[in-house]
Amino acid sequence: MKVKGTFIYTLKTGENALILLTESKIEQDKLYHHLTVDAYQFKKEIVEEEPRIELISAGYKNEKDEMIWNPEYIPVPKWYDLN
């Protein structure tokens, strides 16, 4: 899995989601699965570096150059829960 880019998407609730972009739908699905199952250290580092990020997800650019991502956002730990 190779991340090709990122962007921050603000939900209607005001929460900020970090979207990690991959090369394809298949890579997106692999990355999303990894983020849900086994990425605590990565999520912890996100919170430490950018505490305004509350959620993450994986996506990709389709053949029309549109960004598509999984709308089932994964919560990251709150910075105060790490102490």
Side-chain angles (χ1 to χ4, degrees), residues 3-70:
V3 175
K4 299 293 249 173
T6 63
F7 72 96
I8 296 174
Y9 177 75
T10 303
L11 281 70
K12 291 179 183 176
T13 61
E15 295 172 296
N16 291 310
L18 176 64
I19 310 300
L20 306 171
L21 297 172
T22 63
E23 295 178 340
S24 66
K25 172 72 171 137
I26 293 169
E27 291 298 309
Q28 173 206 350
D29 291 340
K30 288 179 187 177
L31 178 57
Y32 185 84
H33 178 73
H34 176 69
L35 292 170
T36 58
V37 175
D38 188 33
Y40 180 78
Q41 182 63 32
F42 175 72
K43 291 185 266 189
K44 182 178 178 250
E45 289 173 12
I46 289 173
V47 171
E48 291 171 349
E49 294 295 319
E50 189 55 65
R52 67 187 183 111
I53 299 297
E54 298 151 305
L55 305 162
I56 56 174
S57 190
Y60 68 101
K61 283 189 176 182
N62 67 14
E63 59 280 344
K64 296 178 184 176
D65 211 29
E66 300 167 322
M67 289 186 268
I68 310 293
W69 65 90
N70 189 322

